[in-house]
């Protein structure tokens, strides 16, 4: 008791295309490619591709987790958090610094610029060291640890006008 309209939801436009029926059209290959025609040829091709040299021991990368990579990732996350806290610390410390009373607009501008560059320094250091040492993880770690020492927010840590 279903009408043709009820079956419309179960069909797709172009279902009656003759090229969609199995075996109706030969597959077309890219020039230089071929399909093996016998199962023996398929097995030989598969064996040649998948069999490693007998000298190499088989190790499963999926079975052995990379703890060094995981530890490095966690340590990089901790360092990113430290740099974020340094940025917040510099922001708070810059807000506590008393601006010198100067009538020179250039000196006032330079003091303000230096203060905001100090706030941005941890983010810039982290991003630059991360970007420039993309393929050298030890060098990246070294530069990030140097930045942790050099960029400590002294105005916040020492208090007042440090």
């Amino acid at each position: 008791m279903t009408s043709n309209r009820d079956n419309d939801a179960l069909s797709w436009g172009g279902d009656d295309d003759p090229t969609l029926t199995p075996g109706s059209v030969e597959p077309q290959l890219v020039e230089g490619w071929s399909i093996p025609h016998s199962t023996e040829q398929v097995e030989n091709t598969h064996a040649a591709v998948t069999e490693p040299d007998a000298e190499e021991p088989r190790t499963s990368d999926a079975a052995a987790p990379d703890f060094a990579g995981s530890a490095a990732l966690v340590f990089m996350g901790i360092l990113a958090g430290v740099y974020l806290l340094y940025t917040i610390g510099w922001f708070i410390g810059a807000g506590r610094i008393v601006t010198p009373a100067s009538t020179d607009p250039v000196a006032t501008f330079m003091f303000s610029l230096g203060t905001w560059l100090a706030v941005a320094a941890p983010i810039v250091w982290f991003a630059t060291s991360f970007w420039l040492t993309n393929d050298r993880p030890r060098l990246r770690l070294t530069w990030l640890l140097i930045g942790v020492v050099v960029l400590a927010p002294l105005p916040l840590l020492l208090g007042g006008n440090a």
Side-chain angles (χ1 to χ4, degrees):
M1 298 267 290
T2 61
S3 68
N4 193 18
R5 182 138 170 83
D6 290 338
N7 290 334
D8 284 346
L10 303 175
S11 66
W12 189 265
D15 281 345
D16 55 349
D17 188 5
T19 60
L20 297 176
T21 58
S24 64
V25 177
E26 286 292 320
Q28 295 182 1
L29 298 175
V30 177
E31 185 176 322
W33 290 25
S34 65
I35 297 176
H37 294 290
S38 68
T39 57
E40 181 180 302
Q41 189 179 5
V42 171
E43 290 172 2
N44 289 341
T45 305
H46 182 67
V49 171
T50 60
E51 289 298 319
D53 294 341
E55 300 157 5
E56 285 186 32
R58 280 191 160 177
T59 57
S60 174
D61 291 336
D66 184 18
F67 289 115
S70 299
L73 184 64
V74 168
F75 193 66
M76 290 297 293
I78 291 170
L79 283 176
V82 167
Y83 277 94
L84 179 65
L85 290 175
Y86 275 14
T87 302
I88 294 169
W90 273 108
F91 185 76
I92 293 170
R96 290 182 183 174
I97 295 176
V98 177
T99 307
S102 174
T103 58
D104 186 16
V106 175
T108 305
F109 171 75
M110 294 304 291
F111 182 80
S112 176
L113 178 68
T115 303
W116 290 112
L117 287 177
V119 171
I123 295 172
V124 172
W125 187 289
F126 184 82
T128 304
S129 61
F130 201 81
W131 178 52
L132 292 178
T133 59
N134 196 17
D135 56 343
R136 296 171 293 210
R138 284 188 183 164
L139 185 62
R140 175 185 294 164
L141 181 65
T142 303
W143 279 109
L144 288 176
L145 289 175
I146 288 171
V148 165
V149 173
V150 171
L151 297 171
L154 295 178
L156 179 69
L157 297 176
L158 298 177
N161 275 339

